[in-house]
Amino acid sequence: MRHEDEDNLRALLQRHKPAVPPTPSDEWAKIQDRTLGKNPQKKWLAWTLLASLALALLLCVPQRKARESDEWNELWQDDISLSANPHAYDDWLQLTDSLDSQEL
Amino acid sequence: MTETGLEFRALYREHAPTVRRLLARLLPASEVDDGVQEVFLRIYRHRQKFRGEALLTTWIYQITVHCAHDLYRRQRWRRWLQLGASYTEERPHTEDAKGQEEAERVHKAMQQLSFQDRTILALFYWEEFRLEEISKSLDIPLGTAKSRLSLARKRLKVYLKEDSP
């Protein structure tokens, strides 16, 4: 590239350098808030949300576990009643056979 | 305020004008305020990684360029979603009509370049960095900085010619 071209390009770009926008007055406050966490209101809000979430989890998990446990017990009882009556399946087969023959 | 807080505030006071100026060269004016916050957030988060091998200013420049690139990509994605809305809403303003036309031409040509090309030209012509400083700030070898600058310059000239009256 010739020196003249280079000088012209430099001069052209220098003439049209983008302007720098003014610094907002609260810039440091915002940076401080995001880095050093100096906003007690936001901190308080974050802790409250976290505590509520933890409480909700603490309350919900045992209830769900209890419900699941009840369902399991019911299933278990059914299983016991079936195993206590080994002829139950044969009875049920006989019943369906008789119903089928009635339909025919 | 803690010692870290005081040190960080001193660092902000010393380097914020440079960071703001560099971001203004690389991004639209509307993105500069967010960019400055983002740069200092990254400086704060990664302050332990600075080991003094490079100059603090070089390290800050590296963070600023990375951050500007991220904001540019985010903006480009947003622009794509808005189906081709202009990347820069602000236009250059000068007093006379000829100057205005020339400013528009430079602005348009710079916008047509890739972020990488624009960055190297901005550092060289607007920030008046030497090639060694550019290579350190962009974390690339000196030879790469030279060739990138040369290619970016050629491309800019093509765009300027395309748009000349």
Side-chain angles (χ1 to χ4, degrees):
Chain A
M1 191 185 203
R2 286 180 305 160
H3 279 293
E4 198 187 330
D5 278 359
E6 172 63 15
D7 290 346
N8 286 341
L9 184 65
R10 184 178 291 274
L12 178 72
L13 290 177
Q14 279 293 326
R15 275 201 299 278
H16 303 293
K17 209 187 265 192
V20 182
T23 306
S25 55
D26 61 345
E27 185 171 83
W28 168 245
K30 281 182 180 169
I31 291 170
Q32 196 183 23
D33 182 27
R34 291 177 73 182
T35 52
L36 305 165
K38 288 289 170 189
N39 191 334
Q41 260 186 334
K42 275 191 184 170
K43 227 176 180 178
W44 180 83
L45 188 70
W47 278 113
T48 312
L49 280 171
L50 204 68
S52 316
L53 193 70
L55 194 68
L57 277 170
L58 277 172
L59 291 173
C60 289
V61 170
Q63 271 187 3
R64 188 175 170 175
K65 282 212 165 177
R67 206 166 50 236
E68 277 173 1
S69 170
D70 287 349
E71 281 167 10
W72 177 250
N73 281 339
E74 275 171 31
L75 281 171
W76 185 243
Q77 287 305 322
D78 287 351
D79 208 25
I80 289 170
S81 61
L82 265 178
S83 54
N85 182 7
H87 303 294
Y89 182 66
D90 294 335
D91 292 347
W92 178 76
L93 273 182
Q94 275 179 1
L95 179 70
T96 49
D97 281 347
S98 65
L99 282 172
D100 284 347
S101 57
Q102 272 176 21
E103 272 179 28
L104 283 169
Chain B
M1 196 185 282
T2 60
E3 201 178 327
T4 314
L6 287 169
E7 277 174 19
F8 186 58
R9 187 173 193 166
L11 185 127
Y12 164 78
R13 279 192 176 157
E14 193 182 339
H15 297 281
T18 320
V19 168
R20 172 168 287 275
R21 201 183 61 233
L22 183 56
L23 288 172
R25 311 295 188 219
L26 303 174
L27 295 170
S30 56
E31 294 288 312
V32 174
D33 291 347
D34 281 350
V36 176
Q37 282 188 41
E38 194 61 38
V39 168
F40 280 94
L41 193 66
R42 288 187 194 186
I43 291 173
Y44 187 80
R45 279 185 191 153
H46 301 290
R47 64 192 188 283
Q48 307 295 346
K49 288 184 188 166
F50 178 70
R51 288 190 292 268
E53 287 157 5
L55 280 172
L56 180 64
T57 43
T58 309
W59 186 65
I60 292 175
Y61 272 129
Q62 283 176 0
I63 292 178
T64 308
V65 171
H66 278 126
C67 196
H69 191 218
D70 291 348
L71 285 168
Y72 169 78
R73 276 192 306 193
R74 216 180 293 164
Q75 182 71 28
R76 199 172 53 171
W77 178 243
R78 238 182 283 158
R79 185 176 43 145
W80 184 81
L81 286 175
Q82 287 165 8
L83 300 172
S86 174
Y87 173 52
T88 46
E89 68 278 16
E90 64 281 344
R91 315 297 298 174
H93 295 290
T94 47
E95 295 295 316
D96 60 308
K98 197 185 165 202
Q100 181 67 35
E101 197 182 290
E102 193 182 70
E104 290 273 357
R105 198 155 60 90
V106 171
H107 178 80
K108 199 176 160 191
M110 286 297 269
Q111 293 308 312
Q112 281 176 288
L113 292 170
S114 67
F115 183 84
Q116 187 178 287
D117 284 351
R118 205 163 61 241
T119 302
I120 206 154
L121 290 171
L123 292 178
F124 190 73
Y125 290 107
W126 287 334
E127 290 299 296
E128 300 185 37
F129 275 25
R130 284 176 292 115
L131 274 166
E132 291 79 14
E133 289 173 306
I134 292 178
S135 94
K136 281 178 190 161
S137 300
L138 299 181
D139 204 15
I140 52 174
L142 185 61
T144 311
K146 271 184 195 172
S147 58
R148 273 194 200 172
L149 177 64
S150 167
L151 285 170
R153 204 188 267 141
K154 274 182 194 161
R155 281 192 273 262
L156 177 69
K157 288 181 90 180
V158 169
Y159 290 136
L160 284 170
K161 261 188 192 165
E162 270 177 13
D163 225 36
S164 64

